[in-house]
Amino acid sequence: MSQTFNVEWSWIKDFVTKVFVAYGIPEDDAAICTDVLLASDKKGIESHGVNRFKPIYLDRLRDGIQSPVTNFEIIRETATTAVVDGHDGMGQVIGTKAMQMAIDKAKEFGMGMVAVRNSTHYGIAGYYTDMAAKAGCIGMTGTNARPSIAPTFGVENMLGTNPLTLGFPTDEEFPFNLDCATSISQRGKIEYFARVGQDTPEGMVIGRDGSAMTDSPAILEALVNGEAALAPLGGIGEELAGYKGYGFATFVEVLSAALQQGNFLRMLSGISETGEKQKFHLGHFFIAIDTEAFVGLESFKKTAGDILRELRASELAPGEERIYTAGEKEFLIWQERKETGLPLNEGVQKELIAIRDDLGWTEKLPFE
């Protein structure tokens, strides 16, 4: 088995979909789950792609903490809003249907918003803002998550990494899409530092004693036992404006819980009082704003594109080659990857083989 192997997109799409179906997900829903999962890999964001296929989705299905069949129940609805209960089904299915509902409302009334409760991990948040942009809308989404961020001047992990994700169409080949956590870092980055023997930069993680932690392996252990927490965007304390990330994370938490009367903060740990795995009951929100309701789509796209082009054409810092705008790097990665295929590291290759074996399939995988 080679260290990295590029597989064709058609093959990985078919394989992942077949596995989802084998785990009890209806075929149409399985196709949605696969599309969301691979959208991350197409953008070069491996942290939310096939790397998470087994540990985040298949293992949770097997553990019974989320349902393969998604009951998308509308609890309350107006012309421009809706509250949905996902009944702990597949987050990607819930997210796609909820954003489409918000878009449909926006197309009819100018704006639409859907709040969701009792959901599960919905994959890459930028997938849903991409949906809005393709429909000629400004899109926004956010989700709460299991606690990992400490509030400013605090040391306990209370808030999730709570992405606040924004997107809109432009007259360029790709939309503006800002998809990032409200923490300064994510656990995956610290795992990388530990793998390569590198310290975590000071300010990213705070220990229970209030000091910054830099020993990467020690941090990973401390995050598990609650002796460390991620710092919000900006870092520890107020000096580098960590209160801004803390405020954004809190905003996402409230919109992911208060509008739909869902779970929040410590309730989202995924661990029961007896230490057993339990359902996460996550919350999300989705907003779509139709540009046609303002100046019209083409006028909006032209102005948005002009702003982005002017930013990229501004003076470079010494030693830098170019300026990017949000969504551009991901677009460029896809231009390359749609020809070369999806690179799978050795760890993911082994996981896919194990999945195949567990299902009793005899199909030989491309990298064997």
Side-chain angles (χ1 to χ4, degrees), residues 257-311:
L259 289 172
Q260 54 281 74
Q261 290 300 284
N263 285 9
F264 54 87
L265 300 177
R266 294 191 188 95
M267 299 162 70
L268 302 170
S269 68
I271 303 296
S272 70
E273 292 181 359
T274 59
E276 298 175 344
K277 293 178 181 179
Q278 66 179 11
K279 294 178 179 180
F280 286 95
H281 303 305
L282 301 182
H284 322 303
F285 64 90
F286 304 85
I287 299 172
I289 304 168
D290 188 15
T291 56
E292 284 288 355
F294 293 83
V295 296
L297 175 58
E298 294 309 315
S299 294
F300 176 88
K301 288 167 66 174
K302 173 65 166 59
T303 301
D306 286 345
I307 291 169
L308 301 182
R309 284 185 288 273
E310 194 165 330
L311 286 170

Side-chain angles (χ1 to χ4, degrees), residues 93-114:
V93 176
I94 297 164
T96 300
K97 289 183 176 181
M99 180 51 96
Q100 189 58 56
M101 181 182 287
I103 291 168
D104 291 343
K105 290 178 179 296
K107 286 297 178 181
E108 187 170 359
F109 298 104
M111 298 180 70
M113 180 173 184
V114 177

